[in-house]
C-alpha cells in the first residue's frame, strides 16, 4: 500500500504490529519517552511528507499528551474519553482529520467531532467466536447486564436467531450494584453476557451469579474492552464463568497470566481493513456486519 504509514503509541505495540502485518507494512519509527519530571517526549524517526499516516493507540494506561503529540501526522484513536467533546476538539486542533474507533461506549460521541468518525463494531467477531466456540449456541440466551446494552444484545440475538434477556440493576454509587432483576428466561440454556466494556467487573460477576441461580447451564461473558482494574481479576477467578472473552483493543497478556478464564478475540484484521478501505476511498460499512478474511 503506497503512501501510507502506521505509527504506534506506547499503549499497545502488539495490536499495532498485527495491523501493520495485515497491511504488509512495517511500523513507522517513533520514539516515545518520559523525562525524570514525567514530561512526555515524542520523536518521529522518518519522513512522512506526502503520506497518509495512521496512529494506533489504545485507551489503556496511556499518556494523553503522548497521543496528542502524534496527530500532527494524523490519527487513529481507539477510545471513548471521559470528556469526549474536549478530547474531540484537542484531536482536531492537534491535526487529526479522520478518526477510527472500536465500540464507543456511547455512539453519540461521534457527534462531538467536527471531522469524520468511523465507529467500528466488535459484533461480527463476537458472532464468529460464539459459533465456533460454544457448541450449544443454538440453545443460548444473549444477556445484557444493564438496560443500556439492550440494543447491542438484541442485534446479536437476532443474527443468531436466539432469545435475549436483560438485567435491570440499581446502583447505590459508582461501581457498586445494589439490586439486580433478570428480565427474560435463561432456564436450561447457555447464558452469554455481552457488553462493550468491563472495569472492576462487579456488575458482570453479580450478573453471572444471577443467571446461574435462574437456571442457566453455563455462563459466558463477551466484552469488547476488558479494562479489568482493581479487584476485577480476583472477581473473575471466583465467579462462575466458563470464559470471559475480550477483544485485544487493550493488551491482556499480563491479565491472562493471573486468570485462565480470559480468552482473547483478535480484531486487528477489522482495524487493518478499515485503514485499507479508508486509504483507498472505499466504504467501511461492510465491516459493520462481516469479519474480513
Amino acid at each position: 500500500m503506497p503512501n501510507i504509514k502506521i505509527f504506534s503509541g506506547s499503549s499497545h505495540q502488539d495490536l499495532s504490529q498485527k495491523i501493520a502485518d495485515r497491511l504488509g507494512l512495517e511500523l513507522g519509527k517513533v520514539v516515545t519517552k518520559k523525562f525524570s519530571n514525567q514530561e512526555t517526549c515524542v520523536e518521529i524517526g522518518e519522513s512522512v511528507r506526502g503520506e497518509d499516516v495512521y496512529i494506533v493507540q489504545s485507551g489503556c494506561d496511556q499518556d494523553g499528551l503522548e497521543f496528542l503529540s502524534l496527530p500532527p501526522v494524523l490519527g487513529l484513536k481507539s477510545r471513548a474519553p471521559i470528556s469526549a467533546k474536549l478530547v474531540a476538539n484537542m484531536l482536531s486542533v492537534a491535526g487529526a482529520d479522520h478518526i477510527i474507533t472500536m465500540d464507543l461506549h456511547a455512539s453519540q460521541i461521534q457527534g462531538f467531532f467536527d471531522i469524520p468518525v468511523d465507529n467500528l463494531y466488535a459484533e461480527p467477531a463476537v458472532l464468529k467466536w460464539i459459533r465456533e466456540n460454544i457448541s450449544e449456541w443454538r440453545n443460548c440466551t444473549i444477556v445484557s447486564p444493564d438496560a443500556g446494552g439492550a440494543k447491542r444484545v438484541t442485534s446479536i440475538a437476532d443474527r443468531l436467531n436466539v432469545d435475549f434477556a436483560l438485567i435491570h440493576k440499581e446502583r447505590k454509587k459508582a461501581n457498586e450494584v445494589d439490586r439486580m432483576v433478570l428480565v427474560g428466561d435463561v432456564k436450561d440454556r447457555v447464558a452469554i453476557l455481552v457488553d462493550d466494556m468491563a472495569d472492576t467487573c462487579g456488575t458482570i460477576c453479580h450478573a453471572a451469579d444471577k443467571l446461574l441461580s435462574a437456571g442457566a447451564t453455563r455462563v459466558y461473558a463477551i466484552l469488547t474492552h476488558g479494562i479489568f482494574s482493581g479487584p476485577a481479576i480476583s472477581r473473575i477467578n471466583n465467579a462462575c464463568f466458563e470464559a470471559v472473552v475480550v477483544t485485544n483493543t487493550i493488551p491482556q497478556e499480563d491479565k491472562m497470566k493471573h486468570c485462565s478464564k480470559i480468552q482473547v478475540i483478535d480484531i486487528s484484521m477489522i482495524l487493518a481493513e478499515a485503514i485499507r478501505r479508508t486509504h483507498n476511498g472505499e466504504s467501511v460499512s461492510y465491516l459493520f456486519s462481516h469479519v474480513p478474511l
Side-chain angles (χ1 to χ4, degrees), residues 1 4-9 12-28 54-58 76-78 100 102 120 248-249 266-276:
M1 294 182 65
I4 186 170
K5 298 278 189 181
I6 307 291
F7 287 93
S8 176
H12 203 341
Q13 285 276 339
D14 180 65
L15 177 61
S16 305
Q17 188 64 62
K18 283 183 168 66
I19 291 171
D21 290 345
R22 174 82 180 189
L23 294 170
L25 301 170
E26 291 187 6
L27 278 178
Y54 292 82
I55 301 167
V56 182
Q57 182 84 318
S58 182
L76 163 63
K77 190 74 165 77
S78 184
I100 300 173
M102 173 64 72
L120 305 175
N248 59 340
T249 57
D266 181 17
I267 47 79
S268 61
M269 73 290 292
I270 298 176
L271 292 169
E273 182 65 8
I275 291 173
R276 189 195 69 78

Side-chain angles (χ1 to χ4, degrees), residues 80 103-105 145 152 194-199 204 222-228:
D103 264 1
L104 284 171
H105 187 54
R152 182 181 301 107
V194 176
D195 207 351
D196 65 330
M197 61 185 288
D199 186 4
I204 63 166
I222 303 182
L223 317 158
T224 304
H225 310 296
I227 301 169
F228 301 149

Side-chain angles (χ1 to χ4, degrees), residues 20 34 40 52 55-56 107 138 157 167 194 206 232 240 248 275:
K34 283 183 180 292
T40 298
D52 283 353
I55 301 167
V56 182
S107 60
R138 291 178 178 82
I167 292 174
V194 176
H206 280 116
C240 60
N248 59 340
I275 291 173

Side-chain angles (χ1 to χ4, degrees), residues 38-49:
Q38 298 304 302
E39 180 182 348
T40 298
C41 175
V42 177
E43 298 176 354
I44 303 298
E46 59 187 87
S47 173
V48 295
R49 188 181 299 276

Side-chain angles (χ1 to χ4, degrees), residues 231-248:
I233 297 301
S234 174
R235 286 173 171 173
I236 293 172
N237 281 329
N238 293 325
C240 60
F241 293 112
E242 293 290 319
V244 175
V245 185
V246 296
T247 75
N248 59 340

Side-chain angles (χ1 to χ4, degrees), residues 120-157:
L120 305 175
Y121 300 99
E123 180 180 306
V126 168
L127 290 165
K128 184 173 184 288
W129 190 93
I130 291 173
R131 292 187 177 110
E132 292 178 353
N133 293 275
I134 301 179
S135 59
E136 301 170 72
W137 67 265
R138 291 178 178 82
N139 183 39
C140 75
T141 299
I142 310 297
V143 185
S144 173
D146 55 41
K151 183 177 180 181
R152 182 181 301 107
V153 300
T154 54
S155 176
I156 292 174

